[in-house]
Amino acid sequence: MVVIRLARGGAKKRPFYQIVATDSRNRRDGRFIERLGTYNPFAAEGEQGVRVATDRLAYWQSVGAKLSPTVKRLVAQAAQ
């Protein structure tokens, strides 16, 4: 099953996340199918914390991909 979730990157104690579509059996930071956006929890005031390619996200949802709870929350936050 395809799942849309976060893959961690960045330095120690300075996380940076990629929003990716991947097979649910792959590791958290392992192989992925497509990169759909980014999430920077330490974004400054002028910077955008969440970026999502909404057209690709809609495509993956239309073919049956499930969103992780965290990604679902971030997408709702980005839509506001």
Side-chain angles (χ1 to χ4, degrees):
M1 178 173 82
V2 176
V3 64
I4 299 171
R5 64 180 177 204
L6 298 176
R8 191 183 192 282
K12 182 168 71 170
K13 298 191 180 187
R14 295 286 297 174
F16 185 83
Y17 298 94
Q18 301 286 338
I19 300 172
V20 297
T22 184
D23 190 310
S24 62
R25 296 168 291 185
N26 290 343
R27 297 177 305 172
R28 178 192 70 181
D29 300 333
R31 188 175 61 189
F32 59 89
I33 301 168
E34 184 178 357
R35 187 175 294 138
L36 304 174
T38 60
Y39 168 54
N40 184 2
F42 289 102
E45 282 296 317
E47 295 178 14
Q48 187 177 9
V50 180
R51 293 183 185 154
V52 180
T54 54
D55 57 334
R56 296 305 298 165
L57 182 70
Y59 164 76
W60 281 108
Q61 286 183 305
S62 71
V63 295
K66 301 292 182 188
L67 272 64
S68 72
T70 305
V71 170
K72 189 179 291 187
R73 178 180 56 83
L74 290 173
V75 168
Q77 175 186 343
Q80 292 178 352

